[in-house]
Amino acid sequence: MSLIEVKNLKRTFGEEVKTYALKNATFNIDEGEFVAIMGPSGSGKSTLMHILGLLDRASGGDFKFNNKKVSNLDDNELATLRNEQIGFVFQSFNLLQRTTVLDNVTLPLTYSKNNFHAKQRAEEVLKKVGLGHRLHHYTNQISGGEKQRVAIARALVNNASVILADEPTGNLDSKSGAQIMEILQKLNDDGNTIILVTHETYTAECAKRIIKMKDGEIISDKKLSNQRRAHNNDTIK
């Protein structure tokens, strides 16, 4: 079943002179896929991620998320859908400072109808990413790799339909980056849908499918063979 369906998606900026940040993007992403959106700076990958994450609206084309036509939703409906069905992992972590790891992960449940047993659920996902021993540490007391694990746990806590990871290894050393990608692969193996935005080939090849972009357009969309992905797993460990 397709979780995300986009057809001829466009994003333009400017009135008299239009600049195309995204041109005629067409693809589907099924439940349980691990897709990397790859391209250099200015390729349109971040613009596409913002639209897929309901942080921005397309200028044209069709976009369905979980069979809902996004253009028909008002801002409040978009905010609810974003909170309940999308988990975000950013390059800069975006954690609350001077706040515990547990409270950072519990935060999304504050605005959710699924806020019963919030701390218990937060503890579960923190243990899942290997941070059960850091629950009551403050975010300024943990490493960069651990901060990104907190961000992944926060993305998981609402049982989101999809995790959107924007350059999740960009601020990490190679060892920590490899550990983060290993966690994302394990989450995908457990059935989570993951969309990864990156400009790094070795990071993209941790996914099962790579969509490449250039100058706002999709130039290729290929699935990786199991053999190629397995070789990459050996490389990053």
Side-chain angles (χ1 to χ4, degrees), residues 111-131:
Y111 309 102
S112 171
K113 62 184 179 184
N114 303 317
N115 58 6
F116 299 105
H117 309 297
K119 288 198 173 182
Q120 180 181 338
R121 171 61 183 162
E123 288 180 12
E124 287 175 3
V125 293
L126 280 164
K127 289 175 182 177
K128 194 170 187 176
V129 299
L131 288 180

Side-chain angles (χ1 to χ4, degrees), residues 216-229:
E217 296 183 278
I218 293 174
I219 58 172
S220 70
D221 184 349
K222 295 181 180 179
K223 290 186 177 182
L224 296 184
S225 67
N226 290 334
Q227 183 178 3
R228 183 176 175 187
R229 190 173 184 242

Side-chain angles (χ1 to χ4, degrees), residues 24 73 79 110 123 213:
N24 300 320
L73 303 178
T110 305
E123 288 180 12
M213 300 189 67

Side-chain angles (χ1 to χ4, degrees), residues 84-103:
E84 293 180 354
Q85 297 201 38
I86 301 175
F88 292 95
V89 179
F90 297 101
Q91 177 178 346
S92 55
F93 318 130
N94 288 4
L95 301 179
L96 294 177
Q97 301 299 314
R98 301 177 185 175
T99 305
T100 66
V101 165
L102 183 61
D103 286 342

